[in-house]
């Protein structure tokens, strides 16, 4: 099955596929272990920074190797490419999905770049995710000491009419919808998702898949509600990175070992646990 086939299956069967960021082998191993145990498809994605660090060809090769070995579907995604040039590594390596985030660009420029990317990607059997709205937060981090302005969240929410216009003009396969979700984690703040708005966006673009970014820190019941409202791709970065870093810091204190492969098993296990949690929230377990 292709990436499109899996997203179509998710939409029809009312589940989502967790899209989990990975910037090193250990994180990939943890995600794969979770997918194998849960019999779940997964999306392994790399940000532009992670892609530069790992190199796109290596990421794709590792994911394809694990997919073949364990007979699990792994969709490989380039996450948040902000320019046409940023999309090139994933495009040229053969990633399944290219996420072009043109939300920082003027609307017309965003359209122009999308119109360039979409036919190229479709020509190679790749899917494209587009983004136009400005989500609160920058990247994957814990925003300690920062406050959340409700007005900023409100102003960044998607508009069904604009979403329909954008999709019609660009032909993107997936639309990054914003309905109260935020990037990263704001200690003391609990996201409040506008599920009615999400449903309205979905009704405006019925033939386009919906993604949810900024899922970290969102209450479980709200994640499930978003999936029930036809989100088929749930992006998780911060909580995966936290699982990795916190477990690594603990392992380095507990072990005096300098052969790192002896230190990493516990780290991989913690990443696996976090990935399993998201597989459960997305309802993708047992779908293979």
């Amino acid at each position: 099955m292709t990436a499109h086939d899996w997203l179509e299956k998710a939409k029809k069967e009312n589940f989502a596929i967790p899209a989990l960021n990975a910037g090193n082998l250990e994180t990939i191993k943890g995600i794969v272990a979770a997918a194998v145990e849960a019999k779940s498809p997964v999306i392994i994605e790399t940000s532009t920074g992670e892609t530069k660090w790992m190199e796109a060809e290596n990421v794709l090769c590792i994911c394809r190797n694990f997919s073949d070995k364990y007979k699990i579907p792994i969709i490989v995604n380039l996450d948040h490419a902000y320019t046409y040039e940023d999309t090139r590594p994933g495009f040229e390596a053969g990633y399944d999905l290219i996420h072009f985030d043109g939300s920082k660009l003027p609307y017309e420029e965003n359209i122009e770049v999308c119109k360039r990317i979409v036919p190229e990607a479709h020509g190679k059997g790749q899917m494209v995710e587009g983004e136009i709205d400005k989500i609160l937060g920058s990247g994957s981090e814990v925003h300690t000491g920062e406050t959340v302005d409700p007005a900023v969240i409100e102003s960044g929410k998607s508009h069904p009419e604009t979403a329909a216009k954008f999709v019609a003009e660009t032909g993107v396969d997936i639309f990054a919808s914003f309905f109260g979700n935020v990037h990263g984690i704001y200690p003391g703040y609990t996201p409040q998702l506008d599920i009615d708005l999400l449903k309205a966006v979905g009704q405006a673009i019925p033939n386009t898949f919906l993604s949810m970014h900024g899922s970290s820190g969102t209450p479980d019941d709200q994640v499930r509600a978003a999936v029930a409202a036809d989100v088929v791709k749930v992006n998780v970065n911060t909580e995966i990175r936290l699982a990795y870093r916190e477990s690594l810091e603990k392992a380095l204190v507990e072990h005096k070992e300098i052969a790192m492969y002896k230190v990493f098993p516990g780290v991989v296990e913690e990443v696996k646990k976090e990935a399993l949690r998201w597989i459960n929230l997305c309802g993708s377990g047992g779908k293979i």
Side-chain angles (χ1 to χ4, degrees), residues 59-69 74 76 94 96:
V59 173
L60 188 71
C61 184
I62 291 169
C63 289
R64 292 287 191 258
N65 286 346
F66 279 133
S67 180
D68 290 342
K69 180 176 181 178
I74 300 176
V76 184
D96 303 296

Side-chain angles (χ1 to χ4, degrees), residues 166-240:
F166 175 74
V167 168
E169 289 190 76
T170 62
V172 296
D173 306 284
I174 304 170
F175 181 75
S177 50
F178 296 116
F179 46 99
N181 35 329
V182 298
H183 267 146
I185 295 174
Y186 288 81
Y189 173 75
T190 302
Q192 300 296 322
L193 302 185
D194 187 342
I195 301 300
D196 287 338
L197 173 59
L198 173 62
K199 291 177 180 178
V201 171
Q203 290 168 359
I205 48 174
N207 299 315
T208 305
F209 299 115
L210 295 176
S211 69
M212 173 180 166
H213 287 257
S215 303
S216 295
T218 305
D220 291 0
D221 61 333
Q222 292 193 48
V223 174
R224 291 192 175 100
V227 173
D230 278 348
V231 162
V232 297
K233 174 176 174 279
V234 174
N235 282 57
V236 185
N237 191 342
T238 307
E239 291 186 351
I240 289 292

Side-chain angles (χ1 to χ4, degrees), residues 68-231:
D68 290 342
K69 180 176 181 178
Y70 295 111
K71 310 303 179 188
I72 55 170
I74 300 176
I75 298 168
V76 184
N77 175 40
L78 177 62
D79 188 37
H80 288 287
Y82 295 105
T83 66
Y84 176 81
E85 289 71 25
D86 285 344
T87 69
R88 296 302 85 193
F91 174 77
E92 292 167 3
Y95 276 28
D96 303 296
L97 172 59
I98 305 295
H99 170 207
F100 173 63
D101 178 359
S103 63
K104 297 180 180 180
L105 301 174
Y107 179 80
E108 291 303 327
E109 187 176 347
N110 189 345
I111 294 287
E112 182 181 335
V113 178
C114 277
K115 284 184 175 180
R116 189 178 177 189
I117 292 170
V118 170
E120 288 182 336
H122 286 179
K124 292 185 65 174
Q126 298 167 313
M127 300 180 72
V128 178
E129 178 176 357
E131 182 170 337
I132 56 176
D133 303 302
K134 293 179 173 62
I135 185 173
L136 180 67
S138 176
S140 164
E141 57 187 286
V142 179
H143 301 277
T144 304
E146 297 183 43
T147 58
V148 175
D149 184 349
V152 174
I153 293 179
E154 194 63 33
S155 66
K157 288 182 179 179
S158 300
H159 296 275
E161 300 81 6
T162 308
K165 181 174 181 291
F166 175 74
V167 168
E169 289 190 76
T170 62
V172 296
D173 306 284
I174 304 170
F175 181 75
S177 50
F178 296 116
F179 46 99
N181 35 329
V182 298
H183 267 146
I185 295 174
Y186 288 81
Y189 173 75
T190 302
Q192 300 296 322
L193 302 185
D194 187 342
I195 301 300
D196 287 338
L197 173 59
L198 173 62
K199 291 177 180 178
V201 171
Q203 290 168 359
I205 48 174
N207 299 315
T208 305
F209 299 115
L210 295 176
S211 69
M212 173 180 166
H213 287 257
S215 303
S216 295
T218 305
D220 291 0
D221 61 333
Q222 292 193 48
V223 174
R224 291 192 175 100
V227 173
D230 278 348
V231 162

